Amino acid sequence: MIYNVHHLHCGTMCPVCAPLYGQKGFYGKMVCHCLLIETDKGLVLVDTGFGMQDYLHPQARLGKLFSKVSAIQSDFNLTAISQIQKLGFKPSDVKHILVSHLDLDHAGGISDFPQATIHILSSEYNAAQKISVMNKLRYRPQQFKNHRYWNFLEPRNGEAWFNFHKVQGFNIFNDEILLIPLLGHTAGHCGIAIKQQTGWLFFCGDAYYSHLELDRKNKLPLLDKLEFAFAENNSLRLKTLSEIQNLAQTEPQIDIICAHDPTDLERYIQNA
């Protein structure tokens, strides 16, 4: 079965210092690119961006520092729940949520879908429970701590998927939607691969920040330093990025996207 995929714009951040993101000008632009997949087992949401409560109570939910530095554009139309309703679906139609990781700009919408089952690597959930300076910046447990339905998966190597391995035990969608460990940015960071008519769509979350990084020839030292600063394990991050670059070079039928690049998002929205 080939699933219909909707590309959702679930948040915009305009932090200062555009060159950090490989962009021109002073203010950068980062989006929260999420996916909505129509399946025979209900709607599947890939990442959730910022949720209703994040926009209603930004400082309480996201923290004063993040709210100020990231310059989030407050717009309730940019919530996944709002966009799903505009597509003619009910929030209760979302049966599954696949989160690349639990950073606050990826997990905020979880609380808008209390009946959905979240599928996530156990190492990511466990990391979000640990207290550290970095974790206080990246994880906001109030976004997800009251959620009832979880499916914790182990990041053991399953069968090969090109030059990666899929997560074992995730068989709901008959190997047409896969979880692919992409470790480094966080302890349990995961990509999501969706089978399409002519190949695969590979959502890489925060394994990299800009489409420019898919080409090794592009040198982006400031962006590399930014990704280093947010990496839980930088050696693993670099290894993961190199493997994604290899995939981009050798498998043109795979459409590789990340979570925060506005160019990726605009490419799909313009063609919708």
Side-chain angles (χ1 to χ4, degrees):
M1 178 179 291
I2 302 301
Y3 299 124
N4 188 27
V5 179
H6 303 273
H7 293 259
L8 308 182
H9 181 184
C10 294
T12 296
M13 297 169 280
C14 298
V16 297
C17 202
L20 281 175
Y21 307 97
Q23 300 172 1
K24 296 180 180 179
F26 185 70
Y27 290 98
K29 181 180 180 181
M30 298 181 72
V31 298
C32 297
H33 186 168
C34 302
L35 307 177
L36 183 71
I37 312 170
E38 297 181 45
T39 80
D40 55 343
K41 296 176 177 62
L43 296 180
V44 177
L45 185 60
V46 176
D47 275 0
T48 70
F50 296 115
M52 294 292 289
Q53 294 301 313
D54 298 320
Y55 287 120
L56 286 169
H57 311 288
Q59 292 191 9
R61 287 268 291 193
L62 305 174
K64 293 181 180 180
L65 179 61
F66 182 85
S67 298
K68 184 176 181 179
V69 173
S70 61
I72 302 167
Q73 293 184 1
S74 182
D75 186 348
F76 290 100
N77 292 317
L78 296 184
T79 57
I81 190 171
S82 175
Q83 294 176 64
I84 286 169
Q85 289 172 319
K86 287 180 180 178
L87 288 169
F89 302 110
K90 297 179 293 185
S92 59
D93 292 333
V94 177
K95 303 300 183 184
H96 304 277
I97 297 176
L98 313 180
V99 281
S100 59
H101 60 304
L102 288 171
D103 275 5
L104 76 174
D105 50 341
H106 295 256
I110 286 175
S111 54
D112 293 331
F113 305 96
Q115 300 304 314
T117 298
I118 300 173
H119 305 271
I120 190 171
L121 293 186
S122 57
S123 52
E124 179 65 15
Y125 184 85
N126 292 338
Q129 313 307 311
K130 297 177 181 178
I131 299 175
S132 70
V133 173
M134 176 58 76
N135 280 5
K136 287 183 177 180
L137 291 174
R138 75 183 328 153
Y139 297 126
R140 305 297 291 181
Q142 57 267 45
Q143 292 178 326
F144 53 82
K145 66 179 180 181
N146 294 323
H147 198 82
R148 295 177 59 189
Y149 306 106
W150 297 83
N151 178 25
F152 298 116
L153 297 154
E154 296 301 323
R156 301 189 188 97
N157 283 350
E159 296 178 10
W161 182 78
F162 298 96
N163 58 324
F164 290 93
H165 288 85
K166 60 187 181 182
V167 171
Q168 289 181 335
F170 184 71
N171 305 314
I172 299 172
F173 303 101
N174 300 316
D175 284 342
E176 293 172 330
I177 301 177
L178 308 175
L179 294 178
I180 309 294
L182 299 175
L183 305 181
H185 178 67
T186 64
H189 188 278
C190 211
I192 295 90
I194 305 130
K195 193 171 185 180
Q196 300 285 272
Q197 191 73 43
T198 57
W200 290 83
L201 174 65
F202 190 25
F203 178 84
C204 294
D206 283 6
Y208 64 96
Y209 288 167
S210 170
H211 67 283
L212 298 173
E213 294 177 83
L214 294 179
D215 187 343
R216 298 180 191 276
K217 296 178 183 178
N218 292 326
K219 303 303 179 183
L220 302 162
L222 292 177
L223 184 58
D224 181 70
K225 285 181 171 59
L226 181 69
E227 293 176 348
F228 166 79
F230 285 107
E232 187 272 338
N233 184 317
N234 194 57
S235 295
L236 277 179
R237 176 189 73 84
L238 292 172
K239 180 176 182 293
T240 293
L241 176 58
S242 179
E243 290 171 346
I244 292 172
Q245 290 168 333
N246 289 340
L247 190 68
Q249 183 177 12
T250 60
E251 304 293 342
Q253 77 277 21
I254 300 179
D255 197 0
I256 304 173
I257 60 175
C258 64
H260 293 309
D261 188 336
T263 300
D264 279 347
L265 180 63
E266 288 166 8
R267 177 160 54 96
Y268 282 100
I269 291 180
Q270 287 177 355
N271 294 328

